Amino acid sequence: MKSMDIKSFLIGILFTSTVIFGVAATSKSDAGVWDPKQEWEFRRMAREIGFTNKTVEEGWEPVAIYLQDPDYVWARRRVK
């Protein structure tokens, strides 16, 4: 009879629990939360104007900073 490798057994348990928790992360009642017709406004903001002290103007959220042009931050806010 072969002996079971404990390391492989633990990896299998970790993988199985990850899959179970990943599938169970949402419920059917969450389906109405996401609006497929939502609209966003995008804007490129200068870091010294709208992006100071790691904050953005009210209602805007940063979504991208390009390394080629680090003086600007792309931000978005929901319109609808």
Side-chain angles (χ1 to χ4, degrees):
M1 189 168 145
K2 293 183 178 181
S3 65
M4 182 174 274
D5 182 24
I6 189 71
K7 189 186 289 186
S8 297
F9 181 70
L10 291 175
I11 291 172
I13 290 175
L14 179 65
F15 177 76
T16 303
S17 65
T18 303
V19 170
I20 289 173
F21 286 125
V23 170
T26 61
S27 66
K28 291 183 180 180
S29 64
D30 291 341
V33 175
W34 183 262
D35 181 12
K37 296 179 183 176
Q38 58 188 324
E39 295 177 11
W40 296 89
E41 178 182 359
F42 290 90
R43 180 172 136 192
R44 191 176 97 163
M45 293 193 291
R47 290 182 96 177
E48 64 271 0
I49 296 171
F51 189 76
T52 57
N53 298 326
K54 297 183 182 179
T55 60
V56 181
E57 294 175 18
E58 186 73 26
W60 292 89
E61 63 178 319
V63 291
I65 298 175
Y66 292 109
L67 295 177
Q68 293 85 2
D69 194 7
D71 294 332
Y72 292 94
V73 174
W74 282 98
R76 71 177 183 180
R77 72 174 169 186
R78 189 170 175 184
V79 178
K80 175 186 163 201

